[in-house]
Amino acid sequence: MKHRFETQKSSSASKNFIISIIFFFMVIAVFTLGTTLVADRTDAQEQKTLEQAISRGLVHCYSTEGSYPESLQYLKEHYGLYYDEDRFFVDYQVYGSNIMPDVTIIDRGKGK
C-alpha cells in the first residue's frame, strides 16, 4: 500500500513541475512581447522627434534669414540640429530659397 501512495505523489509532483515549466515560458513570452512593443514605440517616437526638429529648424531659419537653408549641413552648423546619422538617413531636397525643402527620413534600424 505504501508503494501506491508514492506513485500518486510522484504523478502529482510531475504535473506540478510541467505546470511550472509552462507558466515560466508564458511569463518569458509576455515579457519579451512587452519589451518588443516598447522598443518599437520608442523607435517610432525617435523618428517623429527628428521630423519635428528638422521642421522647427527650417521654419526658424526661414523666419530669421528670409530663406530656407540650402543644405541639411547648414541646419546642423547654424541651428544645432543633431541626430544619429548611422541610425537615420535624411534625404533633403531643395527646390528654391523660398520653397520649403522636401525632407524624407528613413530609419536604417539598430544593427539590422
Side-chain angles (χ1 to χ4, degrees), residues 9-76:
K9 286 182 182 178
S10 176
S11 176
S12 178
S14 176
K15 273 186 182 178
N16 288 340
F17 179 72
I18 291 172
I19 290 172
S20 296
I21 294 292
I22 291 171
F23 181 73
F24 173 75
F25 282 113
M26 286 176 53
V27 168
I28 294 295
V30 168
F31 178 75
T32 303
L33 179 64
T35 303
T36 302
L37 291 174
V38 169
D40 290 345
R41 193 173 287 170
T42 302
D43 292 344
Q45 186 62 39
E46 280 185 60
Q47 185 168 347
K48 185 176 180 181
T49 302
L50 177 58
E51 290 170 1
Q52 292 172 345
I54 291 173
S55 179
R56 278 193 309 267
L58 289 172
V59 170
H60 184 71
C61 180
Y62 188 77
S63 65
T64 56
E65 298 180 19
S67 62
Y68 289 106
E70 66 275 356
S71 69
L72 193 61
Q73 188 63 33
Y74 188 84
L75 274 179
K76 291 178 187 177

Side-chain angles (χ1 to χ4, degrees), residues 5 7 10 16 67 93 98 108 110 112:
F5 291 120
T7 306
S10 176
N16 288 340
S67 62
Q93 299 291 321
N98 63 344
R108 294 179 182 172
K110 293 184 246 180
K112 291 180 183 178

